[in-house]
């Protein structure tokens, strides 16, 4: 719930910064770049505090991890997430924050349903209820959007 709240807040604030064609507004790629750098700078002290100096290559090898495989997988995951976030900001620049949030909700449902179908991930009744609520919300949003004419 906190993740959804913070994600939607980020969407609204980002959309305000994407505002228009005037010089003080940023385009989607510049805004994404600034947020990425600031996120790294804010996360770095927390990571050092939480992990300390024990998070080193020697420590990782002593745990029996294949360091090269870990680095390749971490780089691949980072590259995929970076692409996902970049695409997300490009879409946000073209749609309203509410539409973007609804699309994000649909994406999460698709990921959950795909996980259940392809990987046979067990789903609890609470998970099923949450997925159903998300689908119902998307359905109601689309119905209300069609029913309400756009005001100019």
């Amino acid at each position: 719930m906190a993740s959804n709240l913070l994600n939607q807040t980020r969407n609204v604030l980002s959309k305000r910064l994407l505002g228009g064609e005037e010089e003080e507004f940023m385009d989607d790629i510049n805004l994404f770049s600034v947020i990425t750098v600031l996120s790294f700078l804010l996360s770095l002290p927390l990571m050092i505090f939480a992990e300390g100096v024990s998070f080193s290559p020697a420590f990782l090898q002593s745990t029996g991890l294949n360091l090269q495989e870990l680095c390749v997988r971490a780089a691949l995951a980072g590259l995929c997430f970076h692409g996902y976030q970049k695409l997300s900001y490009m879409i946000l620049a073209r749609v309203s924050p509410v539409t973007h949030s609804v699309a994000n909700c649909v994406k999460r449902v698709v990921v959950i349903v795909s996980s259940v179908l392809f990987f046979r991930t067990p789903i609890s009744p609470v998970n099923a209820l949450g997925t159903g609520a998300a689908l119902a919300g998307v359905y109601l949003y689309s119905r209300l959007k069609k029913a309400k004419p756009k005001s100019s």
Side-chain angles (χ1 to χ4, degrees):
M1 185 122 168
S3 171
N4 282 333
L5 180 64
L6 292 173
N7 192 20
Q8 306 337 315
T9 303
R10 184 203 67 186
N11 288 347
V12 170
L13 295 176
S14 293
K15 189 65 175 186
R16 284 187 184 169
L17 290 173
L18 289 171
E21 300 297 322
E22 299 170 25
E23 199 170 298
E24 68 264 9
F25 293 114
M26 287 192 240
D27 66 352
D28 51 346
I29 302 303
N30 286 333
L31 179 61
F32 171 69
S33 300
V34 168
I35 288 176
T36 301
V37 170
L38 289 175
S39 298
F40 171 75
L41 293 175
L42 288 171
S43 299
L44 188 62
L46 181 63
M47 190 271 304
I48 292 171
F49 176 74
E51 299 296 334
V53 291
S54 67
F55 193 72
S56 65
F59 172 75
L60 291 173
Q61 283 182 333
S62 72
T63 62
L65 290 171
N66 180 344
L67 193 57
Q68 184 178 7
E69 184 180 347
L70 178 68
C71 289
V72 167
R73 287 184 178 200
L76 184 59
L79 185 65
C80 289
F81 188 71
H82 179 79
Y84 160 71
Q85 288 293 332
K86 200 171 199 175
L87 183 63
S88 177
Y89 271 88
M90 291 170 67
I91 292 169
L92 180 61
R94 289 160 180 74
V95 298
S96 75
V98 174
T99 301
H100 188 270
S101 297
V102 169
N104 189 44
C105 183
V106 170
K107 177 208 55 142
R108 289 178 185 203
V109 169
V110 167
V111 167
I112 291 169
V113 170
S114 299
S115 174
V116 169
L117 293 177
F118 293 114
F119 303 118
R120 305 284 185 231
T121 305
I123 186 167
S124 71
V126 173
N127 294 122
L129 182 65
T131 302
L135 287 172
V138 169
Y139 174 75
L140 288 174
Y141 173 77
S142 67
R143 297 295 295 176
L144 288 173
K145 188 147 177 111
K146 284 181 185 176
K148 183 181 174 191
K150 274 192 170 181
S151 59
S152 40

